[in-house]
Amino acid sequence: MSRTFIRPLTYAPKIPGVLDGTIRQTIRAGQKLAAGDRILFHGWAGKPYRSKWSFRTPYYTLIAVIPIRIRPDGLLFESNGEVRPWADLDDLAARDGIDPPTGEGLRDVLLGMHAVPESGVAGQILRW
């Protein structure tokens, strides 16, 4: 049975692409979602949780949910145990709307949003 989620989207360079449909992926901390779930993204007009939404997307159905660990040295893909260093993640960064679209840019965004210990933080790559 699919579930429905509403999540904020705060990384400004990604927002136009999500709204126009050219970006259909996001990387999130946590492991709550599954393929088949529906997700809506929104922005804040001002302070988070204290302002109106500035935009909202339609509900998207997740077609792929890839469990990962966000680590200081790269991403650990839990399905096969592979660790990909940040320098090898340009393709994932571009698909995610990271500016600049490099693995190092992705690292800066993810490590800037989360306190990441050596053991990593559980996360998911969500695609719709």
Side-chain angles (χ1 to χ4, degrees):
M1 177 187 248
S2 71
R3 300 164 299 164
T4 301
F5 294 86
I6 298 172
R7 295 289 183 262
L9 190 60
T10 58
Y11 181 65
K14 180 188 292 200
I15 293 169
V18 170
L19 293 175
D20 72 16
T22 58
I23 296 173
R24 297 185 358 226
Q25 171 183 288
T26 191
I27 299 172
R28 297 279 164 149
Q31 294 189 333
K32 298 177 184 171
L33 290 90
D37 286 347
R38 295 171 5 116
I39 191 166
L40 173 148
F41 296 104
H42 70 87
W44 297 107
K47 270 191 132 170
Y49 303 101
R50 292 184 169 84
S51 65
K52 295 182 179 185
W53 290 358
S54 58
F55 70 87
R56 69 176 158 197
T57 65
Y59 280 98
Y60 301 119
T61 300
L62 297 176
I63 59 172
V65 175
I66 303 164
I68 58 170
R69 287 197 73 77
I70 302 164
R71 298 176 11 161
D73 60 341
L75 296 181
L76 165 69
F77 288 79
E78 293 184 350
S79 61
N80 62 9
E82 176 187 13
V83 176
R84 290 184 57 196
W86 297 112
D88 292 347
L89 295 170
D90 291 358
D91 58 327
L92 195 63
R95 193 172 186 163
D96 210 67
I98 301 301
D99 184 27
T102 64
E104 289 82 3
L106 179 62
R107 174 199 63 210
D108 294 347
V109 169
L110 292 176
L111 298 186
M113 291 182 169
H114 309 287
V116 178
E118 286 297 317
S119 60
V121 171
Q124 294 178 305
I125 300 169
L126 308 176
R127 294 183 178 151
W128 59 90

